[in-house]
Amino acid sequence: MTFYYPNGKPYKEPFETGKKTIKPMNKNKIQYGNRGMSLEDDLNLTNQYYLERQMAVVHKKPTPVQIVKVDYPKRSQAKITEAYYRRASTTDYNGVFQGKYIDFEAKETHNVNLLPLKNFHDHQIKHMRQVMMQQGICFIIVKFSKKQDVYLLDAGILIRYWDLQQTGGRKSIPRETIEREGHLVPQSYLPRLDYLSIVKQVYL
Amino acid sequence: MTFYYPNGKPYKEPFETGKKTIKPMNKNKIQYGNRGMSLEDDLNLTNQYYLERQMAVVHKKPTPVQIVKVDYPKRSQAKITEAYYRRASTTDYNGVFQGKYIDFEAKETHNVNLLPLKNFHDHQIKHMRQVMMQQGICFIIVKFSKKQDVYLLDAGILIRYWDLQQTGGRKSIPRETIEREGHLVPQSYLPRLDYLSIVKQVYL
């Protein structure tokens, strides 16, 4: 099968060019459109797009780290030489959209038909409850990596499944539920994942 | 001068008790009420108070760290062995209060009569502008550590001084301005620094 560039020229695998110095690309990394980028990368690009266009201010929070030892070499930058990952007590993303607080967690799953609840932990669920009580806009963004489709699902639905699990219910949210109660996030070159278009429809 | 405890007993410096094993306390560290805690500690306790009472959900963001090397010793936690501090691209605190986004930076100064603008950096000011454009509630909390008084000052006033500085204006905000255009934050045992009471008055 031959692929064509938009200018009509046929696409050649790098190793077909005859230039020995060019390494064959990893086939899995060949990008057709948007495929293969991590959900985090896509969200970062999307947030940057929103920021530049003054549509919203949303940032990913830094990874929480417990710093134990720091060296201060002369004339150079402080160097952290011992530190450990800490578990986040909140979700990863938050920010402001038209004065309103928005807050979400993003999860990618290789499962085809479900999102396992073990992708979340107690603290995050507690945080989502608190945000909802405070009338913040709170949701999750779920990517099914096999099909590459991405959904926005209100945190209330996640919490419902979480609570049912505590009393012996299932350990995952079925894809069916996510399709029915969530919203398919439009994907394009820019913005990658236009979740704000959904937020406007659902929460404003 | 003698101080008295609320029960009427006179306060004695630890080194007056005659017990040789008790180290004389650092005079600067003797706490009368709330004094001596760092602004960050006070804000963390305040935010915890708000959280527990469902008054607001505000967290300090983790310190951003660039992780370079990680060891994965068998059967134990991943250990970060090389990392560097990164400059934050946003302010330190954000969260939600009655559905509204709030965002602030906290600064403590030893200066008696002014807050130097060098306490802030470009990225933070840019972030504050973005938040204000998005109708978020945005301010700074300033503590004058000598007098131990704390003010809430709208980010717009900081930005005004910042912009004037760019065209040769002064390199600090006078205490006078902060007293006149800002708001004294009530201090007590709990909550330590009741900045929400000011937010309600000024922004809602």
Side-chain angles (χ1 to χ4, degrees):
Chain A
M1 189 173 176
T2 314
F3 293 92
Y4 292 87
Y5 285 116
N7 65 9
K9 290 198 180 169
Y11 172 79
K12 284 187 180 179
E13 295 280 353
F15 49 79
E16 294 176 52
T17 62
K19 290 185 188 167
K20 290 258 165 85
T21 49
I22 297 176
K23 274 195 217 160
M25 283 171 74
N26 179 339
K27 282 243 186 180
N28 294 327
K29 285 212 175 163
I30 296 174
Q31 312 282 314
Y32 302 115
N34 201 8
R35 301 203 165 195
M37 282 195 88
S38 79
L39 179 56
E40 184 180 329
D41 290 337
D42 279 338
L43 285 171
N44 287 344
L45 286 172
T46 301
N47 289 336
Q48 202 183 315
Y49 174 93
Y50 291 151
L51 193 62
E52 284 164 5
R53 280 156 194 78
Q54 296 174 1
M55 294 168 71
V57 182
V58 178
H59 291 276
K60 184 172 190 295
K61 291 189 181 180
T63 306
V65 154
Q66 179 70 44
I67 295 164
V68 178
K69 248 188 240 166
V70 185
D71 268 9
Y72 297 93
K74 269 192 190 163
R75 286 164 206 270
S76 62
Q77 214 184 348
K79 181 181 173 183
I80 298 161
T81 56
E82 187 180 349
Y84 301 91
Y85 292 105
R86 280 189 296 128
R87 182 165 269 194
S89 52
T90 66
T91 48
D92 273 358
Y93 298 86
N94 74 359
V96 56
F97 172 55
Q98 299 184 9
K100 299 201 180 280
Y101 178 80
I102 69 177
D103 188 300
F104 62 94
E105 184 66 25
K107 292 295 177 197
E108 200 162 347
T109 181
H110 292 289
N111 288 285
V112 175
N113 291 317
L114 50 84
L115 173 69
L117 289 170
K118 69 174 193 297
N119 278 290
F120 303 90
H121 55 76
D122 270 339
H123 274 89
Q124 287 179 323
I125 302 288
K126 194 175 170 193
H127 173 72
M128 291 180 196
R129 285 189 218 272
Q130 289 164 338
V131 168
M132 291 178 78
M133 297 280 284
Q134 210 44 242
Q135 301 144 60
I137 297 169
C138 194
F139 52 87
I140 59 173
I141 289 182
V142 184
K143 179 175 180 176
F144 289 98
S145 46
K146 288 270 167 55
K147 281 207 180 174
Q148 301 271 327
D149 46 356
V150 176
Y151 293 86
L152 184 155
L153 186 75
D154 186 72
I157 296 161
L158 167 63
I159 291 169
R160 197 175 76 211
Y161 275 86
W162 187 267
D163 289 344
L164 285 169
Q165 180 199 25
Q166 309 301 305
T167 55
R170 51 179 299 157
K171 290 174 170 28
S172 62
I173 309 178
R175 187 190 159 94
E176 230 174 69
T177 304
I178 295 172
E179 282 177 359
R180 196 181 55 238
E181 304 196 41
H183 306 268
L184 189 67
V185 177
Q187 300 189 39
S188 65
Y189 179 64
L190 272 176
R192 297 283 173 159
L193 293 171
D194 192 11
Y195 66 84
L196 269 191
S197 65
I198 309 285
V199 169
K200 271 184 225 171
Q201 280 172 41
V202 176
Y203 297 100
L204 292 201
Chain B
M1 190 173 175
T2 314
F3 293 93
Y4 293 87
Y5 285 116
N7 65 7
K9 290 196 178 171
Y11 173 78
K12 284 187 178 181
E13 296 279 356
F15 48 80
E16 294 177 52
T17 62
K19 290 186 187 166
K20 289 259 165 85
T21 49
I22 297 176
K23 273 196 217 159
M25 284 171 74
N26 178 340
K27 283 244 186 179
N28 294 327
K29 286 212 174 166
I30 295 173
Q31 312 281 312
Y32 302 116
N34 201 8
R35 300 198 168 199
M37 281 194 90
S38 79
L39 179 57
E40 184 180 329
D41 291 337
D42 280 339
L43 285 171
N44 287 344
L45 286 172
T46 300
N47 289 336
Q48 202 184 314
Y49 175 93
Y50 291 153
L51 192 62
E52 284 163 3
R53 280 156 194 78
Q54 296 173 359
M55 294 168 71
V57 183
V58 178
H59 291 276
K60 185 173 189 295
K61 291 190 182 180
T63 306
V65 154
Q66 179 71 44
I67 295 164
V68 178
K69 248 187 241 165
V70 186
D71 267 8
Y72 297 93
K74 270 191 189 165
R75 286 164 205 271
S76 64
Q77 213 184 349
K79 182 180 172 184
I80 298 161
T81 56
E82 187 180 348
Y84 300 92
Y85 292 104
R86 278 189 297 129
R87 182 165 271 192
S89 52
T90 65
T91 47
D92 274 357
Y93 298 86
N94 74 359
V96 55
F97 173 54
Q98 298 183 10
K100 300 201 179 281
Y101 177 80
I102 70 176
D103 189 299
F104 61 94
E105 185 64 27
K107 292 295 176 197
E108 199 160 348
T109 181
H110 293 288
N111 288 285
V112 176
N113 291 317
L114 51 85
L115 173 69
L117 290 170
K118 70 174 193 298
N119 278 290
F120 303 90
H121 56 76
D122 269 338
H123 274 89
Q124 288 179 321
I125 302 288
K126 193 175 171 194
H127 173 72
M128 291 181 196
R129 284 189 219 271
Q130 289 164 338
V131 168
M132 292 178 78
M133 297 280 284
Q134 209 43 243
Q135 301 145 59
I137 296 170
C138 193
F139 52 87
I140 58 174
I141 290 183
V142 184
K143 179 174 179 176
F144 289 99
S145 46
K146 289 272 165 51
K147 282 206 178 175
Q148 301 271 326
D149 46 356
V150 176
Y151 294 85
L152 183 154
L153 187 75
D154 186 73
I157 296 161
L158 166 63
I159 291 170
R160 198 174 76 211
Y161 275 85
W162 187 267
D163 289 343
L164 284 169
Q165 181 199 23
Q166 310 301 306
T167 55
R170 51 180 299 157
K171 290 174 171 25
S172 62
I173 309 177
R175 186 191 159 94
E176 230 173 71
T177 303
I178 295 171
E179 283 176 356
R180 196 181 56 239
E181 305 196 41
H183 307 268
L184 189 66
V185 176
Q187 300 189 39
S188 66
Y189 179 63
L190 272 177
R192 298 283 172 160
L193 294 171
D194 192 11
Y195 66 84
L196 270 191
S197 67
I198 309 285
V199 169
K200 272 183 225 171
Q201 280 172 44
V202 177
Y203 296 100
L204 294 199

